[in-house]
C-alpha cells in the first residue's frame, strides 16, 4: 500500500506564490518519477510538471519560468514552487508518483489540494 499526502494549497492573490508538497509513504521499493497535475472546473486533468529519478524535468508550457518542481529522494517527497501565479492557475492540484513495490509497479495519486488565485 502506497499513500501520497499533499499540502500547501490555498488562496493567493495574482502575482503571489505558493509551495506545494507531496510525501509518499508505504511499501516503497523505489519511485521512478513524481509529478504534479491539475484539473480546473470543466476541464481535463493536465500535466503541470514531472521529475523523473534521472533525466530531464518536464513542464507544461503555461507554467515554464514560473513554476519549479524539485524532489527529495531521501524523504520520497516532491515539491512545486509556484511563483507569479495567475487566475488561470486556479485548479485542484494532484500529486502523482510512479512507484515500484516488491510486487508491482503502479501510478499512485494524492487526494488533491485546491489552489485559488484571486483578488
Amino acid at each position: 500500500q502506497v499513500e501520497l499526502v499533499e499540502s500547501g494549497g490555498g488562496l493567493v492573490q495574482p502575482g503571489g506564490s505558493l509551495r506545494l508538497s507531496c510525501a509518499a509513504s508505504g511499501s516503497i521499493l523505489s519511485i521512478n518519477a513524481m509529478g504534479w497535475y491539475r484539473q480546473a472546473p470543466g476541464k481535463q486533468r493536465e500535466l503541470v510538471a514531472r521529475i523523473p529519478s534521472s533525466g530531464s524535468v518536464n513542464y507544461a508550457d503555461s507554467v515554464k519560468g514560473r513554476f519549479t518542481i524539485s524532489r527529495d529522494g531521501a524523504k520520497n517527497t516532491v515539491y512545486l514552487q509556484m511563483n507569479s501565479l495567475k487566475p488561470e492557475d486556479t485548479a485542484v492540484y494532484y500529486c502523482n508518483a510512479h512507484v515500484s513495490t516488491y510486487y508491482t509497479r503502479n501510478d499512485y495519486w494524492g487526494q488533491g489540494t485546491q489552489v485559488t488565485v484571486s483578488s
Side-chain angles (χ1 to χ4, degrees):
Q1 188 75 8
V2 175
E3 184 180 24
L4 302 183
V5 178
E6 300 142 338
S7 61
L11 173 64
V12 64
Q13 292 186 342
S17 298
L18 281 174
R19 188 189 193 214
L20 305 182
S21 300
C22 171
S25 62
S27 303
I28 298 170
L29 183 60
S30 64
I31 300 180
N32 307 305
M34 300 187 81
W36 291 94
Y37 291 71
R38 67 186 181 187
Q39 187 167 18
K43 295 188 177 181
Q44 289 189 332
R45 189 174 298 189
E46 62 176 1
L47 173 69
V48 176
R50 181 178 180 272
I51 182 168
S53 55
S54 61
S56 300
V57 174
N58 294 324
Y59 290 99
D61 288 343
S62 59
V63 307
K64 284 181 180 176
R66 300 188 298 122
F67 291 10
T68 302
I69 189 171
S70 60
R71 181 174 170 179
D72 185 332
K75 296 181 179 179
N76 289 334
T77 299
V78 64
Y79 305 96
L80 186 68
Q81 178 66 44
M82 304 185 293
N83 298 328
S84 302
L85 282 160
K86 304 176 181 180
E88 50 264 43
D89 294 317
T90 296
V92 178
Y93 284 69
Y94 296 91
C95 175
N96 170 267
H98 189 68
V99 178
S100 294
T101 68
Y102 284 102
Y103 306 104
T104 64
R105 182 181 297 177
N106 282 321
D107 276 314
Y108 294 88
W109 294 89
Q111 79 283 0
T113 185
Q114 178 70 46
V115 171
T116 302
V117 184
S118 175
S119 55

